[in-house]
Structures are given as structure tokens and as C-alpha cells.
Amino acid sequence: MKKKALLFLTVFLVVLGVVNVKATTVNAASWGAKKVFTTPKRTRGVWYHKEDGRVVRTKITAHAVNGIKLYKVLKGKEEVKWFKRLMVADKKADYKFADKVSSSKLEAYTFKFHGVTGFNANGWLAGGGDGYYYVPVKRTVKGKKINALRVGEGAGNFFISYAYHNKKLVK
């Protein structure tokens, strides 16, 4: 009887250890993320825009988009090293692991669009062509200038729509 109890306890601890290891592999630091990215102040807030025929709500804070933390993009050899590690882990997990990592963190960088500073948020270590671009702009609605957010996506900041703080302004 003692052997069965000991065996059960051992198996339980091993399973608990494996679950713990899987939970920590999505930790930001474990995939190279070091420096937190700060969004431009004019892009922050709750925004509404239309995408694929439906209204989408996006919340941008100082360091996150929709609750997913933003980190600065890795550079050069460091990015290549972490990308290769992620691809090996993703292949072992039947190509589901990279999506899991990107659901816990995004890489972001600022850019200029017609002289205005915006930012791009990509999946972690995703490379080009993935993610959304956010640029603060002024739009005239019913003869009045209001703050809006130009939302783009893909490799070339392809226009999706304009986002507004007020859901009623979304057309």
C-alpha cells in the first residue's frame, strides 16, 4: 500500500512539475523580451473602428494593447537567435506555440506617418507583415475636427479604417 501511495505522489509531483514548466515558458523574459515599449500618448485610450463589417473595440494603454504587454523589438543577432529558438519550440508543439507566445506579448516600435508618430504592434518575433499600425490623426466629422486613430495592418501599413473614442462615430 505504501508503494502505491509513493508512486501516486511521485507521478503527481512530476505532472505538476511539467505543468509548471509549460506555464513559465511563455514568460516574457524567456523569449528575449527585455525592454517595455511605451506607446505615444495621443494613441492611448479606448477606440472603436469597423473591421470586416463589425465594430471592434481596442484599448491602448501606456504599455499594452487590449491587455497584451508591448516590448521593444529585438535587434540583429539577438532577434535571429530567439526567432530560431521559437521556431524549434513551435515545430515541436505542432505549430501552436508561437501563437501562444504572441498572445502574451507583442513587439512594438514607433514610426512616422506623414510626419506624425505612431506605433506598430506585431506578434512576438513575427517579423514583417504581421500586426497593426496605429497613428493619431485629426478627422472632420459634421464640420468639427476631432481626434481619431488611423488603423492599418500588414507589411505596408495598409489602411483598415479610422477609429474614434465614441462608438457612435464609427460608420
Side-chain angles (χ1 to χ4, degrees):
M1 185 67 177
K2 285 185 179 182
K3 285 184 181 180
K4 283 185 179 181
L6 185 60
L7 180 64
F8 174 78
L9 184 61
T10 304
V11 170
F12 177 76
L13 290 176
V14 168
V15 168
L16 186 62
V18 169
V19 169
N20 240 357
V21 168
K22 284 185 179 179
T24 59
T25 57
V26 182
N27 182 342
S30 68
W31 291 102
K34 293 180 181 131
K35 297 180 182 177
V36 174
F37 177 81
T38 303
T39 60
K41 285 184 180 180
R42 290 183 50 207
T43 62
R44 297 177 195 166
V46 176
W47 300 91
Y48 299 94
H49 74 279
K50 204 167 214 177
E51 188 173 337
D52 297 328
R54 62 185 178 87
V55 175
V56 177
R57 179 184 183 269
T58 303
K59 182 179 180 182
I60 300 174
T61 63
H63 304 292
V65 172
N66 292 331
I68 302 173
K69 198 137 185 179
L70 299 170
Y71 292 92
K72 291 184 179 180
V73 177
L74 299 177
K75 303 283 185 199
K77 291 180 182 178
E78 187 176 21
E79 190 271 338
V80 171
K81 174 184 89 173
W82 284 107
F83 179 78
K84 286 180 179 177
R85 283 185 184 178
L86 181 60
M87 290 305 99
V88 169
D90 196 35
K91 187 175 180 180
K92 287 179 183 176
D94 294 325
Y95 301 100
K96 295 175 184 169
F97 190 68
D99 287 339
K100 188 173 182 179
V101 170
S102 290
S103 68
S104 67
K105 74 184 96 336
L106 298 171
E107 62 182 19
Y109 61 89
T110 57
F111 68 97
K112 294 274 187 182
F113 182 78
H114 297 289
V116 178
T117 301
F119 76 98
N120 173 255
N122 284 319
W124 186 248
L125 300 173
D130 182 32
Y132 288 89
Y133 293 83
Y134 303 101
V135 181
V137 295
K138 290 280 189 187
R139 298 279 297 163
T140 303
V141 177
K142 297 181 183 175
K144 187 177 178 185
K145 288 211 178 243
I146 61 168
N147 292 327
L149 195 66
R150 183 191 185 279
V151 180
E153 74 174 332
N157 188 9
F158 302 111
F159 177 76
I160 295 176
S161 65
Y162 290 104
Y164 302 96
H165 286 296
N166 187 339
K167 196 174 187 178
K168 294 177 184 176
L169 296 174
V170 178
K171 295 177 182 176

